[in-house]
């Protein structure tokens, strides 16, 4: 009686006494393994597998396949041939028995593919590494600092206003780098006029950077120089 089994992503038609090579299995020479993914036994076709069917085999050896010959074609040059260094790891088996039923009750070790290469080593190291116990939760959580406890950055400018002066606010969008959203944010922080920005010193710039989350943008885009020129042009 023959059977069609599936292992390593391939299908094999086998019967008792056959010797075949399959993708490497996690087993040693002399072990008996059992394939449970049976697609067909005799005239019985599975959907996708035949229930209760199995193929048992003895592991003869762990071997390597032949090296792969690769042909490289080059335009306007002769093709070349070279032998690749990779050799696929295989398992050599001898089929001992084909079971049409009762395979799920034999208790024989199931054939499982072995992990190979760097991924296997990394996985084995992960499996072997002792698991660290999760840190115990502290009995009392540290009190979060109050908003007022945070040390302020820089110095708050003394020329911030609650509202624009008579005549209305300057068009701060004339400063390169200031768009409608930034202009609105500046208004919310009491900045309405060019001369306010032009008068800021280093510590005041640091304060406004922190308040507006600009991260050095004021210096980088030279707002102070631009504001001075715009304020001077407004007076003229």
């Amino acid at each position: 009686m023959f059977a069609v089994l599936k292992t390593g992503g391939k299908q094999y038609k086998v019967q008792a006494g056959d010797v075949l090579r399959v993708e490497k299995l996690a087993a040693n020479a002399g072990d008996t393994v059992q394939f449970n993914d049976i697609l067909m036994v005799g005239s019985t076709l599975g959907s996708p597998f035949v229930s209760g069917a199995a193929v048992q085999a003895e592991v003869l050896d762990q071997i390597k396949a032949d090296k792969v010959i690769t042909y490289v074609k080059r335009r306007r040059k002769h093709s070349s041939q070279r032998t690749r260094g990779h050799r696929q790891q295989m398992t050599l088996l001898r089929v001992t028995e084909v079971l049409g039923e009762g395979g799920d009750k034999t208790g024989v070790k199931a054939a499982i593919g072995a992990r190979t290469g760097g991924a296997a080593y990394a996985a084995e190291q992960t499996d072997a590494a002792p698991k660290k116990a999760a840190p115990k939760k502290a009995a009392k959580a540290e009190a979060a600092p109050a908003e007022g406890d945070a040390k302020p950055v820089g110095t708050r400018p003394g020329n911030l206003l609650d509202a624009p002066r008579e005549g209305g606010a300057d068009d701060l969008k004339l400063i390169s780098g200031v768009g409608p959203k930034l202009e609105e944010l500046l208004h919310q922080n009491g900045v309405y006029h060019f001369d306010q920005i032009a008068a800021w010193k280093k510590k005041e710039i640091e304060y406004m950077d922190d308040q507006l989350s600009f991260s050095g943008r004021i210096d980088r885009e030279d707002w102070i120089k631009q504001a001075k020129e715009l304020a001077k042009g407004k007076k003229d």
Side-chain angles (χ1 to χ4, degrees):
M1 182 168 59
F2 75 90
V4 178
L5 62 89
K6 177 183 177 182
T7 179
K10 300 178 180 65
Q11 299 176 13
Y12 302 87
K13 181 182 177 182
V14 299
Q15 59 185 4
D18 285 353
V19 176
L20 68 152
R21 299 187 305 174
V22 299
E23 296 286 331
K24 185 176 181 181
L25 302 176
N28 299 318
D31 290 351
T32 299
V33 295
Q34 178 171 294
F35 298 93
N36 297 317
D37 293 345
I38 309 302
L39 302 169
M40 185 176 182
V41 176
S43 59
T44 305
L45 187 64
S47 57
F49 304 122
V50 179
S51 178
V55 171
Q56 294 181 359
E58 179 188 0
V59 178
L60 300 179
D61 198 4
Q62 298 289 0
I63 60 175
K64 289 185 178 181
D66 297 333
K67 289 186 179 179
V68 180
I69 305 298
T70 302
Y71 294 89
V72 182
K73 295 195 70 174
R74 295 187 176 87
R75 188 181 180 191
R76 299 193 183 92
K77 292 184 179 180
H78 293 294
S79 297
S80 64
Q81 171 183 326
R82 68 187 177 93
T83 303
R84 296 183 65 88
H86 174 72
R87 296 179 65 188
Q88 182 65 36
Q89 295 186 349
M90 312 287 289
T91 298
L92 188 65
L93 301 171
R94 178 186 289 115
V95 178
T96 56
E97 191 171 2
V98 176
L99 302 174
E101 56 183 13
D104 52 342
K105 300 176 181 178
T106 62
V108 179
K109 176 182 176 183
I112 301 175
R115 295 176 293 190
T116 59
Y121 177 79
E124 288 168 2
Q125 295 303 309
T126 302
D127 295 342
K131 295 182 179 180
K132 296 182 180 179
K136 295 182 179 179
K137 293 183 180 180
K140 293 182 180 180
E142 294 183 7
E147 293 183 3
D149 295 340
K151 186 177 179 181
V153 177
T155 303
R156 185 178 187 276
N159 61 359
L160 300 182
L161 304 172
D162 294 330
R165 303 188 193 108
E166 186 177 351
D170 295 337
D171 185 2
L172 300 181
K173 296 189 296 296
L174 294 175
I175 296 175
S176 177
V178 177
K181 290 186 178 180
L182 284 183
E183 183 181 47
E184 182 181 352
L185 195 57
L186 286 165
H187 289 172
Q188 292 174 5
N189 283 270
V191 182
Y192 299 94
H193 303 283
F194 298 131
D195 59 356
Q196 287 179 272
I197 299 174
W200 291 346
K201 304 301 180 184
K202 182 178 180 180
K203 290 294 183 181
E204 294 171 326
I205 292 172
E206 291 177 2
Y207 177 89
M208 294 306 299
D209 272 340
D210 183 61
Q211 292 298 308
L212 306 175
S213 302
F214 282 174
S215 302
R217 186 170 182 177
I218 295 174
D219 276 335
R220 189 166 57 250
E221 296 179 350
D222 210 352
W223 284 19
I224 307 302
K225 182 179 179 181
Q226 292 187 66
K228 286 180 178 179
E229 292 176 354
L230 289 167
K232 182 179 179 182
K234 183 179 176 183
K235 290 180 180 179
D236 296 343

